[in-house]
Amino acid sequence: MEVNHHPHVHHTKKHFKEYFLEFLMIFLAVTLGLFAENIREHVGDRTKEKEYMTSLAQELKYDTLHYNRVLHTIAGLQPKLDSLYKNVKGAARYNYIVQDNW
């Protein structure tokens, strides 16, 4: 396997300015990478937020429609259930009186 060496190999001691410049470039690269990642996540979160809000609005519309249908059905059944309750209650009293006479 062929080994590639850097063409400008320096064996001299680096100055403080070179170390500082390398640190600064690495620091800026990492910092800009973090900023870019945060911006990307923010854009993704905003998209999900809009989807969730749309879904919530659709579910609320469906639930309201379903609630109104059930409420209308209950309102229509209420008089029938009241008369059924009165009839059952009256029959129970009648049966109780008849059973006492036996």
Side-chain angles (χ1 to χ4, degrees):
M1 182 180 287
E2 188 175 327
V3 178
N4 293 326
H5 292 284
H6 193 274
H8 301 288
V9 178
H10 297 284
H11 294 289
T12 60
K13 188 175 179 181
K14 290 184 181 181
H15 296 335
F16 176 75
K17 290 181 182 180
E18 292 178 28
Y19 285 118
F20 181 73
L21 184 61
E22 286 181 13
F23 167 77
L24 186 62
M25 288 190 305
I26 292 172
F27 179 78
L28 287 175
V30 170
T31 304
L32 290 176
L34 289 173
F35 285 146
E37 180 68 18
N38 285 339
I39 290 171
R40 187 191 63 79
E41 285 183 12
H42 180 72
V43 169
D45 290 345
R46 295 292 279 175
T47 304
K48 285 182 184 178
E49 180 183 355
K50 289 178 184 177
E51 290 175 6
Y52 290 152
M53 293 301 288
T54 303
S55 174
L56 178 65
Q58 290 174 351
E59 290 176 9
L60 284 173
K61 287 178 185 177
Y62 173 77
D63 290 345
T64 303
L65 179 65
H66 185 69
Y67 174 77
N68 287 334
R69 285 181 183 170
V70 169
L71 190 62
H72 181 70
T73 303
I74 290 173
L77 289 176
Q78 186 175 2
K80 295 175 185 175
L81 292 174
D82 287 344
S83 63
L84 177 65
Y85 175 73
K86 289 177 185 177
N87 288 337
V88 169
K89 189 175 178 182
R93 284 186 195 162
Y94 179 73
N95 287 338
Y96 179 72
I97 294 171
V98 171
Q99 289 176 357
D100 283 345
N101 292 335
W102 283 86

